[in-house]
Amino acid sequence: GTHYLAVANYFNDVTYNIQSTIYALQQGQFEVFQQIDAQGAHAFAHFEVDGAHYLAVTNYYNNVTRNLQSTIYVLRQGRFEVFQQIDTAGVFDFEHFEVGDTHYLAVANIFNDVTRNI
């Protein structure tokens, strides 16, 4: 299978609304595979469920608010496509885990523009 590297781009000295890049390993080098829209991306989390590959990106800040939707992508026909968006509040990280046959995605929210007690 193909090996991927996802790079979360947080800020470019002008805006937090910048694309993050997914690279694919081709002939011994990582080459740009796909760029995805993000808002102050902090991290990516990869997980697999029933043979399907998912990639969740943390959208932390968009120049206005930290109360954003973060996006979960699924790999379909050689591209990462939007699978689902979830409400987040200054999300810093995702962690996938399983208990028995049930899959979970833990969300580490750290600030909702008002408080860190969330």
Side-chain angles (χ1 to χ4, degrees):
T2 303
H3 294 274
Y4 298 95
L5 172 67
V7 177
N9 291 318
Y10 177 70
F11 184 66
N12 69 359
D13 292 331
V14 176
T15 184
Y16 295 88
N17 299 315
I18 56 176
Q19 292 186 320
S20 288
T21 305
I22 302 167
Y23 296 88
L25 186 61
Q26 297 175 353
Q27 299 176 351
Q29 297 185 68
F30 281 103
E31 303 286 341
V32 173
F33 172 75
Q34 184 175 347
Q35 297 208 298
I36 60 170
D37 292 331
Q39 299 167 312
H42 260 276
F44 280 97
H46 167 264
F47 55 98
E48 186 178 345
V49 178
D50 297 329
H53 291 271
Y54 296 87
L55 191 62
V57 60
T58 60
N59 285 325
Y60 175 78
Y61 186 63
N62 70 353
N63 296 319
V64 177
T65 184
R66 289 165 187 83
N67 298 310
L68 300 169
Q69 290 193 320
S70 290
T71 306
I72 302 167
Y73 294 86
V74 63
L75 184 62
R76 283 194 187 123
Q77 299 177 349
R79 302 294 290 173
F80 285 97
E81 299 176 359
V82 173
F83 173 75
Q84 182 179 354
Q85 293 188 307
I86 58 174
D87 291 333
T88 53
V91 64
F92 198 77
D93 202 6
F94 288 122
E95 188 69 37
H96 169 263
F97 62 97
E98 297 175 55
V99 176
D101 292 334
T102 303
H103 293 263
Y104 297 90
L105 185 63
V107 179
N109 291 312
I110 63 170
F111 188 56
N112 67 1
D113 292 333
V114 176
T115 183
R116 295 189 187 283
N117 294 323
I118 54 175

